[in-house]
Amino acid sequence: MPNFKELVVVLGISTIAFMWLKPIALRFTAEADFLRRRNLWLLLTFIGFLSPNIWLYALLAGPLMLWGGRKDSNPIALYLILLQVIPPVAIPIPFTVPGISTLFDFGNYRLLAICILVPTIGRIRKDTAAGEMRALRSTDLWLLGFGLLQTLLYIRPDMANAYLLHDSPTNMLRRLVLFLLDIYALYYAVSRSCTSKAKIVDAMAAFCVVSCVMSLEAVFESLRHWLLYQGLALRLSPGDLGMLLGYLMRNGVLRAQGAAGHPLALGYLFAVAFGFWLYLRPQIESRFQRVSVTVVLWAGLIAAYSRGPWIGAIAIYFVIVALDPRAFGRLARVAAVMILPAIVIALTPLGHRIAAVLPFMGGSVDSGDLDYRQRLASTSWDLIMNHPYFGDQDFMAKMHELRQGQGIIDIVNTYAGTALEYGLVGLSLFVGFMLVTMIKGYRFMRQIRQRDSDLARLGSCMLACIAGTLLMLYNASFAFGYEKMFYVLAGLTAAYVRSGMAQSETTPAKEAKLRGFNGDAPQPV
């Protein structure tokens, strides 16, 4: 049955939020693009809440995504707007070929990849002027190497009869196709489609806009103790156990989830959006707008009630400050400014709730989570040392003592999970891909700093968001928004280096035109 009450609340909150955010967005985005993205978000939300299953949603949403991707001057910004328009539920596609019961799982992420990313890649491949962009770079090779390893190694699922399941050429082909669709297509499209600074900034602004909408929804969920998207998730994917966890509490407070699928994933999205906003914020003239967006994003972070994203957001801020040539003086001023608000918050009930979940402040709430993580680290290390190079594809069967009351083994550490599945070789490819991206971004940022301080500041924002993500992955599974934004950040940084190098070689007049910041109105992209 459709969730009409939740739909009314979501549309009401989002409509007001988009009205408030429109003048901010138009500083970086063409008005036609903003209106189209906003209308598509509202329409797909309406379709999602009224659809009885994921198939009807895909049937109606797919053509709209295709149309929006063709009309939008920056399809990556549209992709980011629609990334969490509905929860990340997925159901298997049935297949009647003998020996194959299902083709693969299908949900909004893959619908977006098929309808927006793949057509975008097709247009790039057909563009005769984009020959240099189509060439493979070192980061592509690192990522493709990781994909090849995923294709060759079969990880048995966490099932009672998993030992009876064997790999086959069909399974290998399926893993290869899904890697190309889910991961490489995302990185390739972002890194090649964002061909100018204006497009990168437009994508960042789009993500900040939709994050503010989700943040207001998260605050509503926490205050009213009401998950707005839970009924929708259960209706679209009734067999998805990951979405059946229901209401997650911490210290007597509901942890907001929104459409992100989990409070950790929601908090991570807000932390990255906060990092983006730190670059966009100085370009907003209105003091009220600058302060209000910051407050809303942090209100969403608090509503998600997840320690990792809190620490990640703070780390992103300090990395941005530290990358400034005048870092020491700024750090001192920031510390002085933060002391008074921190003292005030500490004296309020909110401060006590925050301190209660932070072990280094004496908090003991959910201390069982910390014990579980320590046991997981110890067991994982032993298994990794037994199979150091290419992992242990049966590791789930050997970790049964870590099974929780929910019936799952929660690998709440992306690095441990990657090493368990693909060994230190796989972990090196996974981390090396991002480290090479960071090194290239850092070198270009240092190179361009004297000629274009704003372009250098954009690079510091990218590097800080990646550093914060690498920190947060230490205490999070690689799923939902974590996975998608990991590759989006890598793609944006690669695009920053490529487009920035081209931009730095232009004349000052051409450079100003590429940026799209001549006057108060944004230039068409």
Side-chain angles (χ1 to χ4, degrees):
M1 180 179 178
N3 305 89
F4 290 110
K5 292 183 179 179
E6 289 86 346
L7 173 61
V8 171
V9 173
V10 169
L11 291 180
I13 292 174
S14 56
T15 300
I16 295 173
F18 279 121
M19 291 174 60
W20 158 56
L21 293 163
K22 181 179 178 180
I24 301 174
L26 294 185
R27 181 66 183 85
F28 313 100
T29 304
E31 185 172 8
D33 283 334
F34 171 80
L35 294 176
R36 187 185 308 107
R37 295 167 192 169
R38 179 202 64 187
N39 294 341
L40 275 175
W41 192 94
L42 293 171
L43 182 55
L44 294 186
T45 297
F46 184 81
I47 292 173
F49 272 94
L50 296 184
S51 296
N53 53 59
I54 194 71
W55 304 118
L56 182 58
Y57 170 79
L59 181 65
L60 298 176
L64 292 171
M65 292 179 181
L66 282 168
W67 171 79
R70 285 197 301 267
K71 296 285 290 184
D72 204 293
S73 64
N74 188 9
I76 300 306
L78 176 65
Y79 174 88
L80 292 175
I81 283 278
L82 301 180
L83 184 63
Q84 301 292 167
V85 68
I86 65 169
V89 295
I91 62 175
I93 298 177
F95 207 55
T96 57
V97 173
I100 305 177
S101 58
T102 61
L103 193 59
F104 54 80
D105 289 348
F106 183 79
N108 190 58
Y109 287 159
R110 284 180 178 152
L111 183 64
L112 284 169
I114 293 170
C115 296
I116 295 180
L117 298 181
V118 172
T120 298
I121 293 173
R123 289 191 290 271
I124 294 172
R125 302 297 296 179
K126 292 179 181 178
D127 187 357
T128 56
E132 188 274 336
M133 288 195 303
R134 293 197 296 263
L136 295 180
R137 302 297 181 92
S138 58
T139 46
D140 293 274
L141 298 179
W142 280 87
L143 184 56
L144 288 171
F146 185 54
L148 178 62
L149 198 62
Q150 292 184 45
T151 301
L152 296 177
L153 297 180
Y154 173 56
I155 311 299
R156 287 188 171 85
D158 185 19
M159 298 170 55
N161 62 341
Y163 64 93
L164 296 175
L165 303 177
H166 301 285
D167 203 9
S168 67
T170 304
N171 279 335
M172 293 180 64
L173 179 61
R174 179 188 292 113
R175 291 197 297 274
L176 175 61
V177 171
L178 292 181
F179 167 79
L180 294 175
L181 180 63
D182 295 341
I183 297 176
Y184 190 65
L186 176 56
Y187 171 73
Y188 189 95
V190 175
S191 62
R192 271 70 171 186
S193 177
C194 295
T195 53
S196 68
K197 175 185 173 183
K199 287 192 175 183
I200 296 174
V201 173
D202 177 33
M204 294 167 60
F207 186 69
C208 285
V209 165
V210 77
S211 294
C212 285
V213 175
M214 293 192 297
S215 184
L216 292 174
E217 294 173 350
V219 171
F220 178 90
E221 287 186 345
S222 183
L223 292 178
R224 295 300 303 270
H225 202 275
W226 182 11
L227 294 181
L228 296 173
Y229 288 87
Q230 188 68 7
L232 167 63
L234 294 175
R235 190 176 70 257
L236 294 183
S237 182
D240 190 345
L241 296 179
M243 300 302 300
L244 291 176
L245 299 179
Y247 284 59
L248 300 180
M249 309 294 295
R250 174 167 283 169
N251 198 23
V253 177
L254 175 67
R255 301 174 64 191
Q257 298 184 34
H262 194 277
L264 266 175
L266 184 66
Y268 167 75
L269 296 175
F270 294 154
V272 174
F274 173 66
F276 286 176
W277 178 244
L278 290 176
Y279 170 77
L280 302 173
R281 185 177 181 274
Q283 302 177 58
I284 302 298
E285 296 179 358
S286 169
R287 180 183 180 87
F288 169 76
Q289 291 174 343
R290 294 197 303 268
V291 173
S292 60
V293 171
T294 304
V295 170
V296 166
L297 289 175
W298 269 98
L301 271 165
I302 294 173
Y305 217 166
S306 300
R307 291 172 287 221
W310 293 349
I311 297 172
I314 294 172
I316 288 171
Y317 180 83
F318 278 101
V319 171
I320 290 177
V321 174
L323 289 173
D324 189 282
R326 302 159 296 177
F328 183 79
R330 288 191 64 191
L331 282 171
R333 291 195 298 271
V334 167
V337 170
M338 292 179 65
I339 287 176
L340 182 58
I343 293 175
V344 173
I345 292 176
L347 297 176
T348 66
L350 176 61
H352 294 304
R353 289 187 181 276
I354 293 175
V357 298
L358 297 176
F360 56 84
M361 295 183 65
S364 59
V365 173
D366 285 348
S367 58
D369 286 353
L370 300 179
D371 295 337
Y372 182 84
R373 293 171 192 269
Q374 292 173 356
R375 292 170 54 209
L376 173 68
S378 176
T379 303
S380 298
W381 179 255
D382 291 339
L383 290 174
I384 293 169
M385 289 299 98
N386 289 335
H387 301 82
Y389 298 112
F390 296 102
D392 183 354
Q393 284 68 59
D394 292 319
F395 73 93
M396 281 292 187
K398 301 173 183 178
M399 302 178 74
H400 57 85
E401 72 277 2
L402 293 174
R403 196 171 301 281
Q404 298 178 321
Q406 298 163 345
I408 62 172
I409 299 173
D410 193 5
I411 309 296
V412 285
N413 184 318
T414 295
Y415 305 112
T418 303
L420 286 167
E421 293 180 341
Y422 308 111
L424 298 180
V425 172
L427 181 61
S428 298
L429 291 170
F430 175 74
V431 177
F433 158 72
M434 190 58 90
L435 291 181
V436 170
T437 301
M438 291 184 72
I439 291 171
K440 289 185 175 183
Y442 180 74
R443 286 177 177 173
F444 178 72
M445 182 197 70
R446 291 289 301 271
Q447 172 188 337
I448 201 66
R449 177 173 287 161
Q450 299 302 323
R451 285 181 288 168
D452 191 335
S453 60
D454 187 68
L455 190 59
R457 198 166 60 83
L458 176 60
S460 68
C461 167
M462 294 295 172
L463 294 173
C465 289
I466 292 175
T469 295
L470 293 175
L471 175 63
M472 287 183 277
L473 288 179
Y474 179 76
N475 282 311
S477 301
F478 198 52
F480 300 156
Y482 275 95
E483 180 187 28
K484 299 306 176 186
M485 289 306 298
F486 179 85
Y487 296 110
V488 167
L489 288 172
L492 287 176
T493 305
Y496 162 76
V497 175
R498 182 182 290 108
S499 63
M501 291 181 68
Q503 179 175 312
S504 65
E505 297 172 356
T506 61
T507 63
K510 289 182 179 179
E511 180 177 329
K513 183 178 179 180
L514 281 173
R515 290 180 193 169
F517 291 132
N518 296 336
D520 294 331
Q523 301 296 315
V525 179

